Short mmCIF file of all heavy atoms in Angstrom, two decimals:
data_model
loop_
_atom_site.label_atom_id
_atom_site.label_comp_id
_atom_site.label_asym_id
_atom_site.label_seq_id
_atom_site.Cartn_x
_atom_site.Cartn_y
_atom_site.Cartn_z
N MET F 1212 24.98 21.67 -21.19
CA MET F 1212 23.69 21.15 -20.70
C MET F 1212 23.64 19.66 -20.77
O MET F 1212 24.23 19.03 -21.55
CB MET F 1212 22.62 21.80 -21.69
CG MET F 1212 22.49 23.29 -21.56
SD MET F 1212 21.27 24.02 -22.66
CE MET F 1212 22.06 23.91 -24.28
N PRO F 1213 22.86 19.11 -19.79
CA PRO F 1213 22.79 17.68 -19.71
C PRO F 1213 22.38 16.82 -20.95
O PRO F 1213 22.88 15.80 -21.14
CB PRO F 1213 21.70 17.43 -18.54
CG PRO F 1213 21.78 18.61 -17.72
CD PRO F 1213 22.02 19.80 -18.72
N ARG F 1214 21.58 17.50 -21.81
CA ARG F 1214 21.09 16.82 -22.99
C ARG F 1214 21.63 17.43 -24.29
O ARG F 1214 20.84 17.45 -25.30
CB ARG F 1214 19.58 16.72 -22.94
CG ARG F 1214 19.01 16.00 -21.70
CD ARG F 1214 17.45 15.97 -21.77
NE ARG F 1214 16.96 15.35 -20.57
CZ ARG F 1214 16.82 14.02 -20.37
NH1 ARG F 1214 17.21 13.24 -21.27
NH2 ARG F 1214 16.34 13.62 -19.21
N SER F 1215 22.77 18.02 -24.14
CA SER F 1215 23.27 18.73 -25.30
C SER F 1215 24.81 18.72 -25.29
O SER F 1215 25.42 18.43 -24.26
CB SER F 1215 22.75 20.24 -25.35
OG SER F 1215 23.39 21.02 -26.37
N ASN F 1216 25.42 19.12 -26.40
CA ASN F 1216 26.87 19.38 -26.38
C ASN F 1216 27.18 20.82 -26.43
O ASN F 1216 28.39 21.23 -26.63
CB ASN F 1216 27.57 18.58 -27.60
CG ASN F 1216 27.02 19.21 -28.90
OD1 ASN F 1216 26.13 20.03 -28.97
ND2 ASN F 1216 27.65 18.77 -29.96
N LEU F 1217 26.21 21.67 -26.07
CA LEU F 1217 26.45 23.10 -26.00
C LEU F 1217 26.26 23.58 -24.55
O LEU F 1217 25.59 22.97 -23.78
CB LEU F 1217 25.36 23.78 -26.86
CG LEU F 1217 25.56 23.62 -28.38
CD1 LEU F 1217 24.34 24.30 -29.04
CD2 LEU F 1217 26.85 24.05 -28.96
N ALA F 1218 26.96 24.71 -24.27
CA ALA F 1218 26.84 25.30 -22.96
C ALA F 1218 25.50 26.07 -22.86
O ALA F 1218 25.01 26.55 -23.87
CB ALA F 1218 28.02 26.25 -22.72
N GLY F 1219 24.94 26.21 -21.64
CA GLY F 1219 23.81 26.97 -21.41
C GLY F 1219 23.01 26.38 -20.31
O GLY F 1219 23.33 25.56 -19.64
N VAL F 1220 21.80 27.02 -20.12
CA VAL F 1220 20.72 26.38 -19.17
C VAL F 1220 19.53 26.23 -20.04
O VAL F 1220 18.95 27.12 -20.59
CB VAL F 1220 20.54 27.31 -17.95
CG1 VAL F 1220 20.23 28.73 -18.33
CG2 VAL F 1220 19.55 26.73 -17.09
N ASP F 1221 19.03 24.97 -20.06
CA ASP F 1221 17.88 24.67 -20.91
C ASP F 1221 16.58 25.10 -20.33
O ASP F 1221 16.55 25.36 -19.07
CB ASP F 1221 17.94 23.10 -21.13
CG ASP F 1221 17.22 22.79 -22.53
OD1 ASP F 1221 16.56 23.62 -23.14
OD2 ASP F 1221 17.31 21.57 -22.93
N VAL F 1222 15.53 25.18 -21.08
CA VAL F 1222 14.25 25.60 -20.50
C VAL F 1222 13.82 24.50 -19.45
O VAL F 1222 14.12 23.33 -19.68
CB VAL F 1222 13.19 25.68 -21.67
CG1 VAL F 1222 12.96 24.34 -22.38
CG2 VAL F 1222 11.93 26.26 -21.07
N ALA F 1223 13.30 24.89 -18.39
CA ALA F 1223 12.75 24.03 -17.33
C ALA F 1223 13.93 23.25 -16.78
O ALA F 1223 13.91 22.04 -16.53
CB ALA F 1223 11.63 23.07 -17.81
N SER F 1224 15.05 23.95 -16.55
CA SER F 1224 16.28 23.34 -15.99
C SER F 1224 16.95 24.42 -15.13
O SER F 1224 16.51 25.55 -14.93
CB SER F 1224 17.19 22.94 -17.09
OG SER F 1224 18.23 22.06 -16.60
N ALA F 1225 18.07 23.90 -14.52
CA ALA F 1225 18.85 24.75 -13.63
C ALA F 1225 20.36 24.39 -13.69
O ALA F 1225 20.66 23.26 -14.03
CB ALA F 1225 18.27 24.70 -12.18
N VAL F 1226 21.16 25.33 -13.27
CA VAL F 1226 22.57 25.06 -13.29
C VAL F 1226 23.26 25.92 -12.16
O VAL F 1226 22.79 27.06 -11.85
CB VAL F 1226 23.23 25.40 -14.72
CG1 VAL F 1226 23.03 26.97 -14.97
CG2 VAL F 1226 24.64 24.98 -14.78
N ARG F 1227 24.29 25.41 -11.64
CA ARG F 1227 25.11 26.16 -10.66
C ARG F 1227 26.18 26.94 -11.39
O ARG F 1227 26.76 26.50 -12.36
CB ARG F 1227 25.80 25.26 -9.66
CG ARG F 1227 24.89 24.47 -8.76
CD ARG F 1227 25.60 23.40 -7.92
NE ARG F 1227 26.41 24.05 -6.92
CZ ARG F 1227 27.74 24.06 -6.87
NH1 ARG F 1227 28.43 23.53 -7.80
NH2 ARG F 1227 28.39 24.61 -5.87
N ILE F 1228 26.39 28.27 -11.04
CA ILE F 1228 27.41 29.10 -11.55
C ILE F 1228 28.21 29.71 -10.44
O ILE F 1228 27.71 29.91 -9.33
CB ILE F 1228 26.91 30.18 -12.58
CG1 ILE F 1228 25.96 31.14 -11.80
CG2 ILE F 1228 26.17 29.52 -13.74
CD1 ILE F 1228 25.52 32.34 -12.71
N ALA F 1229 29.47 30.05 -10.71
CA ALA F 1229 30.27 30.72 -9.66
C ALA F 1229 29.71 32.15 -9.58
O ALA F 1229 29.33 32.76 -10.54
CB ALA F 1229 31.74 30.71 -10.08
N PRO F 1230 29.70 32.68 -8.32
CA PRO F 1230 29.39 34.07 -8.12
C PRO F 1230 30.25 34.91 -9.05
O PRO F 1230 31.49 34.72 -9.13
CB PRO F 1230 29.61 34.31 -6.61
CG PRO F 1230 29.46 32.98 -6.02
CD PRO F 1230 29.98 31.99 -7.04
N THR F 1231 29.62 35.88 -9.65
CA THR F 1231 30.36 36.78 -10.65
C THR F 1231 29.93 38.18 -10.65
O THR F 1231 28.72 38.47 -10.46
CB THR F 1231 30.30 36.18 -12.08
OG1 THR F 1231 30.91 37.04 -12.98
CG2 THR F 1231 28.76 36.07 -12.44
N ASN F 1232 30.85 39.15 -10.81
CA ASN F 1232 30.53 40.55 -10.95
C ASN F 1232 30.32 40.90 -12.41
O ASN F 1232 29.99 42.08 -12.81
CB ASN F 1232 31.69 41.46 -10.39
CG ASN F 1232 31.50 41.54 -8.87
OD1 ASN F 1232 30.49 41.75 -8.29
ND2 ASN F 1232 32.64 41.25 -8.24
N VAL F 1233 30.60 39.99 -13.39
CA VAL F 1233 30.48 40.19 -14.70
C VAL F 1233 29.06 40.64 -15.13
O VAL F 1233 28.89 41.48 -15.93
CB VAL F 1233 30.90 38.97 -15.58
CG1 VAL F 1233 30.54 39.15 -17.06
CG2 VAL F 1233 32.43 38.71 -15.42
N LEU F 1234 28.09 40.09 -14.42
CA LEU F 1234 26.68 40.43 -14.78
C LEU F 1234 26.11 41.53 -13.94
O LEU F 1234 24.93 41.74 -13.87
CB LEU F 1234 25.84 39.11 -14.61
CG LEU F 1234 26.18 37.94 -15.55
CD1 LEU F 1234 25.42 36.76 -15.21
CD2 LEU F 1234 25.96 38.38 -17.00
N ALA F 1235 26.98 42.30 -13.25
CA ALA F 1235 26.50 43.42 -12.47
C ALA F 1235 25.71 44.45 -13.36
O ALA F 1235 26.18 44.67 -14.51
CB ALA F 1235 27.71 44.11 -11.77
N GLY F 1236 24.67 44.95 -12.84
CA GLY F 1236 23.90 45.99 -13.62
C GLY F 1236 22.38 45.69 -13.43
O GLY F 1236 21.98 44.68 -13.01
N SER F 1237 21.62 46.66 -13.86
CA SER F 1237 20.20 46.55 -13.75
C SER F 1237 19.55 45.67 -14.87
O SER F 1237 18.36 45.36 -14.79
CB SER F 1237 19.53 47.87 -13.73
OG SER F 1237 19.82 48.63 -14.98
N HIS F 1238 20.35 45.35 -15.99
CA HIS F 1238 19.91 44.53 -17.02
C HIS F 1238 21.00 43.63 -17.38
O HIS F 1238 22.18 43.90 -17.19
CB HIS F 1238 19.51 45.40 -18.23
CG HIS F 1238 18.28 46.23 -18.05
ND1 HIS F 1238 18.24 47.34 -17.20
CD2 HIS F 1238 17.01 46.08 -18.64
CE1 HIS F 1238 17.00 47.80 -17.31
NE2 HIS F 1238 16.28 47.05 -18.10
N VAL F 1239 20.60 42.45 -17.98
CA VAL F 1239 21.44 41.57 -18.69
C VAL F 1239 20.97 41.16 -19.96
O VAL F 1239 19.80 41.49 -20.36
CB VAL F 1239 21.71 40.26 -17.85
CG1 VAL F 1239 22.32 40.58 -16.48
CG2 VAL F 1239 20.42 39.50 -17.69
#
Side-chain angles (χ1 to χ4, degrees):
M1212 292 181 283
R1214 302 180 184 276
S1215 172
N1216 61 352
L1217 296 175
V1220 55
D1221 210 347
V1222 64
S1224 189
V1226 66
R1227 296 172 71 248
I1228 62 175
T1231 177
N1232 282 313
V1233 170
L1234 297 174
S1237 61
H1238 290 72
V1239 297

